[in-house]
């Protein structure tokens, strides 16, 4: 059966060029980057080249990029490294209730060890409350963290405006940004946006799994988080996977080579998907904003009277991969915390379906998916005691 | 987490789905807020007490739909007395098992069937409506499944104390503080107890 993949926010298919770029490093070029011996020096030079590709894509210098084993590792090195090193300057941090779990679990970890955490609220479209941010800033606030593009509803946080608010403080407040869902979907210039620390991940942009990067603005000091052998720099402890890094930079090259074209394609597809769903299926509700303040690859819709795991499973049987915010599909049996924070009720959260698109998706695939979705929604509604329409 | 082929079959093509017009008895349990609700409708032969027709409707996940389907299959043609003996483990077994985290779906389906039968018995003076007392609370707690292992919290000895004083149900639980299912268990207990008009407040201590 042909597979229709619309869960690219979770992970995306590696591009064929990416796999090709990785292969030499899995075969003959297995040597670690090092000085003096010829193979090691070549690897070290190549590594610098890969770093430059990543750095250029976000307007950074190569010295500001550290490769990590995932976006989550980058988040941990940034948050734990910064807070443990800078606790002497203050122990107050700000995050929002709709942030990515990496940020929220780290905030909770530091809260337990004595930090004060302010959790900003969200509006009904998934944008953090900026007025609350202004009021939350204190003399001992040392860090603000945010998720650039919300992983559930695609809302794009106004980073530049946030920077301006943080800069009204009499002291420097470091901003850490999880850009896992933003990188490759929006133009990001870390310097211009005033971002101090930022995590990105390869497998969200058709790169390999198991590699990410941390951007650390020059002058922002973070302590060691992972101790051990120091092969390249302080934050890249342990062995590096040259194959993954090579694949990552190839994915970056491909993403940014035709950046505008890729983004326009995603925007066009997601508009088409939403329009088609809203035209074909009654009693739906878009979660998150409409238009340009939404990431171009994300559509999240709730379907009244039915439950999301059932929809997801039937879609799966038709060869279509999508995600749901239903409690029944979660490990902890809890309704999606982001939708609930946005003021959606339990039913709306349980029935939410998330489509995240990639440059490999086509209009024809969307036609098929929505046709199946309409059938499935109709079938499940006919079984539901809550649905008395027809 | 995997569903058995039988669960998938019953989910994709459920048996006895729909509504019976003018049923002899019916019951609806669960709530959309919790993500699962099931309604069961019965047609009963007044002379033989045999369930001659049974249908269900479901708002819920795949296992909710599959357990509704299997429970109506099992109950069809049985006498009320026989149908009352159907337990949630039997329903889950008939589906070749359910993932532990989904075991509560079986409890919900069986509980709804029992409530529908009770509805019939009370209407026809075959039984008295349940009187509420402390035992009711324990019986309800036996329907709360700890999702990690798919067993109820009473059997698992997670309930240290259950009491009822002046309209307050008092439950003392033993669940580790960082257990990921703790909030879910607490929510489930509330869902089971709060609809009793005798209970004005549910106090849960952990």
């Amino acid at each position: 059966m042909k597979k229709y993949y619309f869960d690219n926010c979770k992970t995306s298919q590696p591009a064929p060029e990416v796999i090709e770029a990785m292969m030499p490093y899995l075969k003959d070029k297995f040597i670690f980057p090092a000085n003096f011996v010829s193979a090691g020096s070549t690897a070290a030079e190549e590594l610098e080249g890969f770093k430059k590709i990543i750095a250029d894509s976000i307007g950074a210098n190569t010295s500001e990029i550290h490769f990590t084993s995932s976006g989550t590792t980058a988040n941990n090195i940034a948050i734990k490294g910064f807070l443990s090193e800078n606790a002497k300057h203050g122990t107050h941090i700000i995050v929002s209730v709709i942030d990515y779990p990496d940020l929220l679990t780290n905030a909770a970890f530091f809260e337990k060890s004595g930090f004060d955490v302010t959790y900003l609220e969200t509006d009904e479209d998934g944008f953090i409350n900026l007025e609350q941010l202004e009021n939350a800033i204190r003399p001992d606030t040392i860090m603000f963290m945010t998720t650039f593009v919300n992983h559930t509803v695609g809302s794009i946080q106004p980073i530049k405006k946030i920077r301006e608010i943080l800069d009204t403080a009499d002291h420097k407040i470091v901003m850490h940004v999880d850009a896992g869902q933003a990188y490759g979907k929006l133009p990001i210039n870390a310097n211009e946006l005033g971002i101090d620390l930022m995590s990105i991940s390869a497998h969200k942009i058709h790169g390999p799994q198991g590699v990410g990067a941390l951007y650390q603005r020059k002058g922002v000091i973070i302590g060691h988080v992972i101790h051990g052998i120091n092969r390249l720099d302080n934050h890249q402890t342990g062995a590096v996977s040259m194959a993954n890094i090579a694949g990552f930079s190839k994915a970056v090259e491909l993403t940014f080579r035709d950046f505008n074209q890729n983004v326009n394609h995603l925007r066009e597809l997601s508009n088409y998907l939403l329009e088609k769903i809203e035209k074909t299926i009654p009693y739906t509700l878009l979660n998150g904003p409409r238009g340009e303040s939404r990431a171009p690859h994300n559509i999240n819709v709730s379907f009244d009277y039915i439950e999301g795991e059932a929809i997801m499973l039937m879609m799966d049987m038709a060869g279509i991969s999508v995600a749901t915010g239903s409690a029944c599909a979660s490990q902890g049996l809890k309704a999606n915390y982001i939708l609930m924070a946005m003021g959606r009720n339990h039913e709306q959260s349980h029935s939410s379906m998330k489509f995240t698109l990639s440059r490999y998706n086509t209009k024809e695939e969307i036609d098929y998916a929505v046709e199946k979705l309409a059938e499935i929604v109709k079938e499940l509604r006919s079984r539901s005691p809550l649905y008395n329409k027809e | 987490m995997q569903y058995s082929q039988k669960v998938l079959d019953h989910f994709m093509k459920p048996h006895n789905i729909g509504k019976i017009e003018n049923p002899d008895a019916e019951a609806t349990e669960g709530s959309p807020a919790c993500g699962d609700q099931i309604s069961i409708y019965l047609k009963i032969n007044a002379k033989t007490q045999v369930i001659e027709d049974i249908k269900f409707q479901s708002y819920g996940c795949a296992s909710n739909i599959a357990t509704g389907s299997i429970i109506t299959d099992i109950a069809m043609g049985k006498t009320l007395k026989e149908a009352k003996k159907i337990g949630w483990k039997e329903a889950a077994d008939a589906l070749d098992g359910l993932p532990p985290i989904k075991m509560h779906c079986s409890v919900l389906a069986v509980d709804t069937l029992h409530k529908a039968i009770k509805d019939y018995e009370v209407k026809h003076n075959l039984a008295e409506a349940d009187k509420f007392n402390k035992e009711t609370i324990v019986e309800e707690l036996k329907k709360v499944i700890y999702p990690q292992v798919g067993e109820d919290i009473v059997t698992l000895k997670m309930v240290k104390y259950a009491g009822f004083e002046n309209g307050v149900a008092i439950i003392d639980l033993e669940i580790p503080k960082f257990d990921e299912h703790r909030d879910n268990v607490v929510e489930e207990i509330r869902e089971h107890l709060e609809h009793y008009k005798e209970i004005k407040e549910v106090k849960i201590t952990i």
Side-chain angles (χ1 to χ4, degrees), chain B residues 11 22 30 38 56 65 77 87 114 124 131 140 143 174 195:
Chain B
F11 163 58
N22 306 315
I38 185 160
F56 82 101
I65 292 171
H114 291 173
H124 292 79
K131 287 225 167 59
E140 287 298 329
K143 296 174 194 166
E174 195 167 287
H195 67 268

Side-chain angles (χ1 to χ4, degrees), chain B residues 38 125 156:
Chain B
I38 185 160
N125 297 318
L156 289 171

